[in-house]
Every structure is written in C-alpha cells, then in structure tokens.
Amino acid sequence: MARGVGEITGAAAIGSVGGTALALLIPALVFWALSRRLRRQAALEKASLDPTMAPLANGPVALAGTVEVSDDGAAPVEVVIEERRDGTDWREVSRTVTARPFVLRLASGVAVRIEPGADPLLLDALEPAEWSREQRRQRIARLSVNEPVFVRGVLRGSGDPRGGDPYRGAEAFVLSAPPRRRLELSTEALSGALEQRADEHLSRCVVLLSVLVLGLVLYLDVYFAALWWLVVDTPPPRLQSTSTSGSCSSRAR
C-alpha cells in the first residue's frame, strides 16, 4: 500500500497538486502562443508596407497593399445595408454582401490573389445614403480598385505561377479566410487591434503563471513529501524525525 502525506497518498498528492498545475500551465501556454501569433501578424502587416520586406511564407498573415484589379473589373467587395428608422435612430434590417477575388499589390511589388469568400468582414466607413425615405434608407460600404487595404487571413502558395499575378508574371500567393472564420478587410491598419488583443492574451498568461507559481510555493512541502515517498518509499526526513520522537515518547510511557 502506498504511504501518504496526512490522509493523501503520495500518488494522489502528485495527482491533485500536479493536475492543478497543469490546468493552469496549459491555458497559459495557449494564451502565450496566441499572443505571439497575433504580434507576428501585426509585424508582418507593418513589414508589407516596406518595399524591402522579406519573402512571404504560408500561414496566418495580415498584409497591407493596394487593390489592383478584380476578376470582372467591379468593386471587389460591396456591402449594402438597409436601415429602418427606430425613433430617432436607424436600425439595420438587412445586409447584402457581394465579394469577388481580386489582386492585392504589396509595396514590394509582390501580387497576392485575395479570395474573400461569400461573406468577408469589411471594416470601412459607410458612404452617404444611396436613397432615403421617411422611414427607410440604404447605405453602402465599398472596396474599390486602387484603394489601399489591409487584409487578414491565411496565406498559401497557389502552385500556379500566374494565379496571383496574371499581368506581370510572378510567384503566386493566395490569401483566403481562416477555417470557420471570415476574411477581414479594412481601410485602416489592423496592427493596432492585433497588438491590443496580443496584450490581452499575454496578460491572461501572466495571471495564470502567477497563480501557478503561488500554488507551487504554498504546496511545496506536499510535492516534496509525495515525491520522497514515491522514490524512496520512506517518510521524508522532517516527518521521519517527528515519527521517531513519537515512538520514543510512547516507549517512555
């Protein structure tokens, strides 16, 4: 039978305290990894504004460039919002998104084919109302050719030397939406928001690690006693001397 610390056996002590430690450590590592990935995307977005940027690589990215051409020459992304008056405010009642692939030209000259999918997220100011009645109006957000844009998604090589740049002939890259998420397009830099989210994830990581360190300090004697019993199969020195003193007292009586 396994010896124990108080009423907890050595294995149970390691299981309870060690399990708690892992429950804190694993989420902390996840938050750290998320923070690092977001910072890398923010840094890449800033680097894409530099003509001397390093070569692109597959994976999650945020890029900045200029809309060069769409498949049929129309606006690559258009969001039509219909609103209804609700008292003194306007409330959205319908939204229609039209999106088509287009070429994003980076400052370095590299062309990236953007495949926005059916429902990309366009962060842009709404234009003045196309039409307005007493109780209803329609407003539009539109991404146009030659407009600077910041895009966040997943980058991959297309395998077609003309796929991303049919006009200048260059190695092709395709940027599309991450799995189960929407492609993000913005007329303003995304790096600030990415760095803010990275800071939030890092703060959560620091909190979890602080709790973990505090728990290790508070339960250090339990760790020591449990490990000693499992490895040596005898009580640790401090408890052993206490046990011996108790035995001597019993004999004296």
PDB file of all heavy atoms in Angstrom, residues 4 6 9 28-29 41 46 51 65 70 83 104 132 172 179 181 195-196 202 204 237 241 250 253:
ATOM      1  N   GLY A   4       1.480   7.832   2.584  1.00  0.00           N
ATOM      2  CA  GLY A   4       0.861   9.101   2.241  1.00  0.00           C
ATOM      3  C   GLY A   4       1.270  10.248   3.122  1.00  0.00           C
ATOM      4  O   GLY A   4       1.954  10.077   4.122  1.00  0.00           O
ATOM      5  N   GLY A   6      -0.314  12.828   5.434  1.00  0.00           N
ATOM      6  CA  GLY A   6      -1.593  13.002   6.101  1.00  0.00           C
ATOM      7  C   GLY A   6      -2.538  11.920   5.625  1.00  0.00           C
ATOM      8  O   GLY A   6      -2.262  10.741   5.756  1.00  0.00           O
ATOM      9  N   THR A   9      -2.343   9.884  -0.229  1.00  0.00           N
ATOM     10  CA  THR A   9      -1.215   9.047  -0.620  1.00  0.00           C
ATOM     11  C   THR A   9      -0.278   9.837  -1.515  1.00  0.00           C
ATOM     12  O   THR A   9      -0.640  10.872  -2.070  1.00  0.00           O
ATOM     13  CB  THR A   9      -1.708   7.800  -1.371  1.00  0.00           C
ATOM     14  OG1 THR A   9      -2.301   8.212  -2.594  1.00  0.00           O
ATOM     15  CG2 THR A   9      -2.678   7.011  -0.528  1.00  0.00           C
ATOM     16  N   ALA A  28      -2.153  28.829 -19.957  1.00  0.00           N
ATOM     17  CA  ALA A  28      -1.162  29.910 -20.027  1.00  0.00           C
ATOM     18  C   ALA A  28      -0.333  29.798 -21.297  1.00  0.00           C
ATOM     19  O   ALA A  28      -0.061  30.796 -21.969  1.00  0.00           O
ATOM     20  CB  ALA A  28      -0.267  29.871 -18.788  1.00  0.00           C
ATOM     21  N   LEU A  29       0.080  28.580 -21.648  1.00  0.00           N
ATOM     22  CA  LEU A  29       0.858  28.375 -22.868  1.00  0.00           C
ATOM     23  C   LEU A  29       0.025  28.680 -24.119  1.00  0.00           C
ATOM     24  O   LEU A  29       0.543  29.217 -25.104  1.00  0.00           O
ATOM     25  CB  LEU A  29       1.374  26.941 -22.921  1.00  0.00           C
ATOM     26  CG  LEU A  29       2.434  26.576 -21.869  1.00  0.00           C
ATOM     27  CD1 LEU A  29       2.793  25.098 -21.973  1.00  0.00           C
ATOM     28  CD2 LEU A  29       3.679  27.444 -22.028  1.00  0.00           C
ATOM     29  N   GLN A  41       1.633  38.593 -36.815  1.00  0.00           N
ATOM     30  CA  GLN A  41       0.783  39.099 -37.885  1.00  0.00           C
ATOM     31  C   GLN A  41       0.851  40.626 -37.959  1.00  0.00           C
ATOM     32  O   GLN A  41       0.906  41.200 -39.056  1.00  0.00           O
ATOM     33  CB  GLN A  41      -0.658  38.646 -37.671  1.00  0.00           C
ATOM     34  CG  GLN A  41      -0.864  37.149 -37.839  1.00  0.00           C
ATOM     35  CD  GLN A  41      -2.303  36.738 -37.640  1.00  0.00           C
ATOM     36  OE1 GLN A  41      -3.217  37.496 -37.924  1.00  0.00           O
ATOM     37  NE2 GLN A  41      -2.518  35.536 -37.153  1.00  0.00           N
ATOM     38  N   LYS A  46       2.956  45.512 -40.906  1.00  0.00           N
ATOM     39  CA  LYS A  46       3.812  46.691 -40.992  1.00  0.00           C
ATOM     40  C   LYS A  46       4.931  46.475 -42.006  1.00  0.00           C
ATOM     41  O   LYS A  46       5.281  47.384 -42.774  1.00  0.00           O
ATOM     42  CB  LYS A  46       4.393  47.008 -39.610  1.00  0.00           C
ATOM     43  CG  LYS A  46       3.349  47.432 -38.585  1.00  0.00           C
ATOM     44  CD  LYS A  46       3.984  47.645 -37.224  1.00  0.00           C
ATOM     45  CE  LYS A  46       2.948  48.055 -36.182  1.00  0.00           C
ATOM     46  NZ  LYS A  46       3.553  48.217 -34.822  1.00  0.00           N
ATOM     47  N   PRO A  51       9.043  48.285 -49.089  1.00  0.00           N
ATOM     48  CA  PRO A  51       9.395  47.649 -50.360  1.00  0.00           C
ATOM     49  C   PRO A  51      10.455  46.562 -50.232  1.00  0.00           C
ATOM     50  O   PRO A  51      10.589  45.720 -51.125  1.00  0.00           O
ATOM     51  CB  PRO A  51       9.922  48.824 -51.198  1.00  0.00           C
ATOM     52  CG  PRO A  51       9.303  50.041 -50.588  1.00  0.00           C
ATOM     53  CD  PRO A  51       9.217  49.737 -49.120  1.00  0.00           C
ATOM     54  N   GLY A  65      -1.683  46.543 -48.744  1.00  0.00           N
ATOM     55  CA  GLY A  65      -1.366  46.775 -50.137  1.00  0.00           C
ATOM     56  C   GLY A  65      -2.449  47.592 -50.810  1.00  0.00           C
ATOM     57  O   GLY A  65      -3.292  48.208 -50.154  1.00  0.00           O
ATOM     58  N   SER A  70      -9.897  43.415 -59.992  1.00  0.00           N
ATOM     59  CA  SER A  70     -10.788  42.317 -59.591  1.00  0.00           C
ATOM     60  C   SER A  70     -11.083  41.469 -60.821  1.00  0.00           C
ATOM     61  O   SER A  70     -10.752  41.843 -61.945  1.00  0.00           O
ATOM     62  CB  SER A  70     -12.090  42.857 -58.986  1.00  0.00           C
ATOM     63  OG  SER A  70     -12.808  43.592 -59.959  1.00  0.00           O
ATOM     64  N   GLU A  83     -31.557  50.245 -43.726  1.00  0.00           N
ATOM     65  CA  GLU A  83     -31.886  50.618 -42.348  1.00  0.00           C
ATOM     66  C   GLU A  83     -33.307  51.164 -42.269  1.00  0.00           C
ATOM     67  O   GLU A  83     -33.829  51.739 -43.238  1.00  0.00           O
ATOM     68  CB  GLU A  83     -30.902  51.680 -41.844  1.00  0.00           C
ATOM     69  CG  GLU A  83     -29.452  51.222 -41.815  1.00  0.00           C
ATOM     70  CD  GLU A  83     -28.492  52.320 -41.426  1.00  0.00           C
ATOM     71  OE1 GLU A  83     -28.769  53.488 -41.786  1.00  0.00           O
ATOM     72  OE2 GLU A  83     -27.485  52.023 -40.769  1.00  0.00           O
ATOM     73  N   LEU A 104      -4.068  41.958 -54.773  1.00  0.00           N
ATOM     74  CA  LEU A 104      -3.526  42.930 -53.835  1.00  0.00           C
ATOM     75  C   LEU A 104      -2.050  43.119 -54.157  1.00  0.00           C
ATOM     76  O   LEU A 104      -1.272  42.161 -54.121  1.00  0.00           O
ATOM     77  CB  LEU A 104      -3.692  42.433 -52.397  1.00  0.00           C
ATOM     78  CG  LEU A 104      -3.164  43.366 -51.303  1.00  0.00           C
ATOM     79  CD1 LEU A 104      -4.078  44.583 -51.173  1.00  0.00           C
ATOM     80  CD2 LEU A 104      -3.082  42.632 -49.968  1.00  0.00           C
ATOM     81  N   SER A 132     -33.091  57.609 -49.559  1.00  0.00           N
ATOM     82  CA  SER A 132     -33.655  57.730 -48.216  1.00  0.00           C
ATOM     83  C   SER A 132     -35.112  58.138 -48.322  1.00  0.00           C
ATOM     84  O   SER A 132     -35.477  59.009 -49.114  1.00  0.00           O
ATOM     85  CB  SER A 132     -32.875  58.770 -47.407  1.00  0.00           C
ATOM     86  OG  SER A 132     -33.424  58.910 -46.115  1.00  0.00           O
ATOM     87  N   ALA A 172       2.927  33.097 -57.361  1.00  0.00           N
ATOM     88  CA  ALA A 172       1.576  33.430 -56.924  1.00  0.00           C
ATOM     89  C   ALA A 172       1.333  33.003 -55.488  1.00  0.00           C
ATOM     90  O   ALA A 172       1.718  31.920 -55.064  1.00  0.00           O
ATOM     91  CB  ALA A 172       0.566  32.756 -57.842  1.00  0.00           C
ATOM     92  N   PRO A 179     -10.057  28.787 -41.490  1.00  0.00           N
ATOM     93  CA  PRO A 179     -11.146  27.815 -41.325  1.00  0.00           C
ATOM     94  C   PRO A 179     -12.185  28.294 -40.308  1.00  0.00           C
ATOM     95  O   PRO A 179     -11.841  28.775 -39.229  1.00  0.00           O
ATOM     96  CB  PRO A 179     -10.415  26.555 -40.815  1.00  0.00           C
ATOM     97  CG  PRO A 179      -9.012  26.715 -41.296  1.00  0.00           C
ATOM     98  CD  PRO A 179      -8.727  28.195 -41.251  1.00  0.00           C
ATOM     99  N   ARG A 181     -13.857  30.890 -40.145  1.00  0.00           N
ATOM    100  CA  ARG A 181     -13.845  32.322 -39.846  1.00  0.00           C
ATOM    101  C   ARG A 181     -13.961  33.111 -41.138  1.00  0.00           C
ATOM    102  O   ARG A 181     -13.892  32.556 -42.234  1.00  0.00           O
ATOM    103  CB  ARG A 181     -12.564  32.707 -39.090  1.00  0.00           C
ATOM    104  CG  ARG A 181     -12.472  32.071 -37.713  1.00  0.00           C
ATOM    105  CD  ARG A 181     -11.224  32.529 -36.990  1.00  0.00           C
ATOM    106  NE  ARG A 181     -11.218  33.968 -36.793  1.00  0.00           N
ATOM    107  CZ  ARG A 181     -10.193  34.624 -36.260  1.00  0.00           C
ATOM    108  NH1 ARG A 181      -9.110  33.976 -35.891  1.00  0.00           N
ATOM    109  NH2 ARG A 181     -10.246  35.932 -36.087  1.00  0.00           N
ATOM    110  N   GLU A 195      -2.271  44.020 -31.954  1.00  0.00           N
ATOM    111  CA  GLU A 195      -1.364  44.176 -30.818  1.00  0.00           C
ATOM    112  C   GLU A 195      -2.132  44.308 -29.507  1.00  0.00           C
ATOM    113  O   GLU A 195      -1.703  43.806 -28.469  1.00  0.00           O
ATOM    114  CB  GLU A 195      -0.475  45.393 -31.038  1.00  0.00           C
ATOM    115  CG  GLU A 195       0.562  45.188 -32.146  1.00  0.00           C
ATOM    116  CD  GLU A 195       1.294  46.455 -32.490  1.00  0.00           C
ATOM    117  OE1 GLU A 195       0.818  47.547 -32.094  1.00  0.00           O
ATOM    118  OE2 GLU A 195       2.349  46.373 -33.159  1.00  0.00           O
ATOM    119  N   GLN A 196      -3.300  44.964 -29.550  1.00  0.00           N
ATOM    120  CA  GLN A 196      -4.125  45.082 -28.344  1.00  0.00           C
ATOM    121  C   GLN A 196      -4.618  43.712 -27.895  1.00  0.00           C
ATOM    122  O   GLN A 196      -4.570  43.377 -26.707  1.00  0.00           O
ATOM    123  CB  GLN A 196      -5.305  46.011 -28.599  1.00  0.00           C
ATOM    124  CG  GLN A 196      -6.203  46.203 -27.375  1.00  0.00           C
ATOM    125  CD  GLN A 196      -7.346  47.172 -27.640  1.00  0.00           C
ATOM    126  OE1 GLN A 196      -7.433  47.769 -28.709  1.00  0.00           O
ATOM    127  NE2 GLN A 196      -8.225  47.313 -26.684  1.00  0.00           N
ATOM    128  N   LEU A 202      -1.541  38.026 -23.471  1.00  0.00           N
ATOM    129  CA  LEU A 202      -0.333  37.954 -22.645  1.00  0.00           C
ATOM    130  C   LEU A 202      -0.657  38.237 -21.184  1.00  0.00           C
ATOM    131  O   LEU A 202      -0.087  37.605 -20.282  1.00  0.00           O
ATOM    132  CB  LEU A 202       0.707  38.942 -23.169  1.00  0.00           C
ATOM    133  CG  LEU A 202       2.088  38.870 -22.503  1.00  0.00           C
ATOM    134  CD1 LEU A 202       2.700  37.481 -22.704  1.00  0.00           C
ATOM    135  CD2 LEU A 202       3.004  39.945 -23.066  1.00  0.00           C
ATOM    136  N   ARG A 204      -3.457  37.524 -19.661  1.00  0.00           N
ATOM    137  CA  ARG A 204      -4.072  36.307 -19.129  1.00  0.00           C
ATOM    138  C   ARG A 204      -3.000  35.256 -18.826  1.00  0.00           C
ATOM    139  O   ARG A 204      -3.080  34.550 -17.814  1.00  0.00           O
ATOM    140  CB  ARG A 204      -5.089  35.757 -20.128  1.00  0.00           C
ATOM    141  CG  ARG A 204      -6.268  36.684 -20.385  1.00  0.00           C
ATOM    142  CD  ARG A 204      -7.301  36.036 -21.296  1.00  0.00           C
ATOM    143  NE  ARG A 204      -8.401  36.931 -21.578  1.00  0.00           N
ATOM    144  CZ  ARG A 204      -8.546  37.616 -22.702  1.00  0.00           C
ATOM    145  NH1 ARG A 204      -7.629  37.477 -23.661  1.00  0.00           N
ATOM    146  NH2 ARG A 204      -9.565  38.416 -22.896  1.00  0.00           N
ATOM    147  N   PRO A 237      12.638  13.217   5.699  1.00  0.00           N
ATOM    148  CA  PRO A 237      13.386  13.403   6.956  1.00  0.00           C
ATOM    149  C   PRO A 237      12.613  14.141   8.029  1.00  0.00           C
ATOM    150  O   PRO A 237      12.604  13.726   9.184  1.00  0.00           O
ATOM    151  CB  PRO A 237      14.618  14.192   6.502  1.00  0.00           C
ATOM    152  CG  PRO A 237      14.782  13.826   5.065  1.00  0.00           C
ATOM    153  CD  PRO A 237      13.419  13.612   4.528  1.00  0.00           C
ATOM    154  N   SER A 241      11.610  12.195  11.556  1.00  0.00           N
ATOM    155  CA  SER A 241      12.076  12.536  12.891  1.00  0.00           C
ATOM    156  C   SER A 241      10.910  12.748  13.835  1.00  0.00           C
ATOM    157  O   SER A 241      10.946  12.384  15.002  1.00  0.00           O
ATOM    158  CB  SER A 241      12.949  13.801  12.840  1.00  0.00           C
ATOM    159  OG  SER A 241      12.193  14.899  12.345  1.00  0.00           O
ATOM    160  N   SER A 250       6.207   7.144  23.322  1.00  0.00           N
ATOM    161  CA  SER A 250       5.320   6.021  23.679  1.00  0.00           C
ATOM    162  C   SER A 250       6.068   5.011  24.524  1.00  0.00           C
ATOM    163  O   SER A 250       5.529   4.483  25.506  1.00  0.00           O
ATOM    164  CB  SER A 250       4.833   5.336  22.406  1.00  0.00           C
ATOM    165  OG  SER A 250       4.082   6.254  21.630  1.00  0.00           O
ATOM    166  N   ARG A 253       6.467   6.102  28.152  1.00  0.00           N
ATOM    167  CA  ARG A 253       5.308   5.894  28.968  1.00  0.00           C
ATOM    168  C   ARG A 253       5.206   4.430  29.385  1.00  0.00           C
ATOM    169  O   ARG A 253       4.677   4.088  30.405  1.00  0.00           O
ATOM    170  CB  ARG A 253       4.036   6.272  28.206  1.00  0.00           C
ATOM    171  CG  ARG A 253       3.941   7.796  27.945  1.00  0.00           C
ATOM    172  CD  ARG A 253       2.511   8.161  27.528  1.00  0.00           C
ATOM    173  NE  ARG A 253       2.490   9.512  27.032  1.00  0.00           N
ATOM    174  CZ  ARG A 253       2.411   9.863  25.764  1.00  0.00           C
ATOM    175  NH1 ARG A 253       2.344   8.934  24.836  1.00  0.00           N
ATOM    176  NH2 ARG A 253       2.364  11.132  25.406  1.00  0.00           N
TER     177      ARG A 253
END
